Amino acid sequence: MKGISDWSEVWALLIPLAILCLKKKQPAFNKPVVIYLWTALAINVTIDAIWKLKTILPHPYNTNNYLYNIHSIIRVLLFSSFFIKLNQQFLSKTKRIAPYIFLGFVLINFSFYQNFFDYGQLSSRLLSFEAVIMMFYCMQYYLFKITDDEEPGKKQPDFWIVTGLGIYYTVNFFIFCYTMNSQYACTILP
């Protein structure tokens, strides 16, 4: 049982990939989500392989923390693309600017405050800011649906993707903010 849970970052991605593979024709706006799932699978296999081989690999190469940073950046960029491709005319300029704000934050954070290749700690700042950006996207999606008098349908794939993202980031925001990196306090909240 421990072996199964050790690889949960990998096998958990197989569920949405299986669902996507069952549907041969995907809407155009789903392309960034499909790319993300395959990319995340490759990154998570590498993360877990490094973790399992930690005792065999030389010291500078037996950390996988930088892969979590890469994963976070890719996740924000691809899901930003997903939300932009939904073509909702609500806060459209803000949605297009958000990935650049995120990349600016990443550049400043890892240039002055944290080490991108930090051996021992995950970047709670990066993960927290990612959560803020993604919760903004999810919130604007639902606000658009409300103001457009369009009821989100249970059969719409975008509804389920956004709902899953919203739940994930809402639950994990405080975990990202406080428990991943006790040395640095979350700088997003006062």
Side-chain angles (χ1 to χ4, degrees), residues 144-159:
F144 173 79
K145 292 293 187 181
I146 291 169
T147 59
D148 197 39
D149 292 331
E150 183 181 328
E151 186 176 323
K154 293 179 183 175
K155 294 187 180 194
Q156 294 175 323
D158 57 317
F159 172 78

Side-chain angles (χ1 to χ4, degrees), residues 47-96:
I47 285 171
D48 286 353
I50 290 171
W51 175 61
K52 286 293 190 181
L53 299 172
K54 188 173 186 149
T55 58
I56 298 170
L57 295 171
H59 180 69
Y61 306 107
N62 67 358
T63 183
N64 56 17
N65 287 343
Y66 70 95
L67 290 170
Y68 284 103
N69 294 336
I70 292 169
H71 191 173
S72 176
I73 294 166
I74 289 171
R75 185 170 39 232
V76 169
L77 295 178
L78 287 172
F79 278 108
S80 292
S81 176
F82 163 74
F83 281 102
I84 292 167
K85 284 180 183 269
L86 287 176
N87 208 19
Q88 295 176 328
Q89 298 304 316
F90 181 70
L91 298 173
S92 58
K93 287 183 183 176
T94 307
K95 286 189 288 189
R96 293 184 189 282

Side-chain angles (χ1 to χ4, degrees), residues 94-114:
T94 307
K95 286 189 288 189
R96 293 184 189 282
I97 293 171
Y100 296 106
I101 292 170
F102 178 76
L103 289 175
F105 167 80
V106 168
L107 186 64
I108 291 168
N109 184 51
F110 289 117
S111 294
F112 300 108
Y113 300 106
Q114 293 182 309

